[in-house]
Amino acid sequence: MAKVTPGEFVNQVRAEGRKVVWPSMKETRTTAIMVLIMTTLLAVFFFGVDSALSAIVKWLLGLIG
């Protein structure tokens, strides 16, 4: 592999950076809203599962003691 000088490296990084297609503000906002919605839904789901399993464990422990 050929060695690259620091100047060439910086030029290559800039060239690659120009190829990046950045999302628009609308796409960013839409994605952020979807992430918040999915996070909320998953939090509610896991809270429900955790509560149900906790109730089952308490009931089982109540049978023992």
Side-chain angles (χ1 to χ4, degrees):
M1 183 180 265
K3 295 205 177 207
V4 179
T5 65
E8 290 175 25
F9 176 75
V10 170
N11 287 337
Q12 290 175 0
V13 169
R14 285 184 180 169
E16 290 298 321
R18 283 191 283 274
K19 294 178 187 178
V20 174
V21 178
W22 296 99
S24 68
M25 188 59 129
K26 182 181 178 190
E27 291 171 328
T28 303
R29 191 177 304 115
T30 302
T31 303
I33 290 170
M34 292 305 292
V35 167
L36 289 172
I37 290 170
M38 291 304 296
T39 303
T40 303
L41 289 174
L42 285 170
V44 169
F45 170 75
F46 285 119
F47 177 76
V49 169
D50 185 51
S51 297
L53 291 175
S54 176
I56 291 169
V57 168
K58 285 180 184 178
W59 179 74
L60 288 172
L61 290 174
L63 291 176
I64 294 172

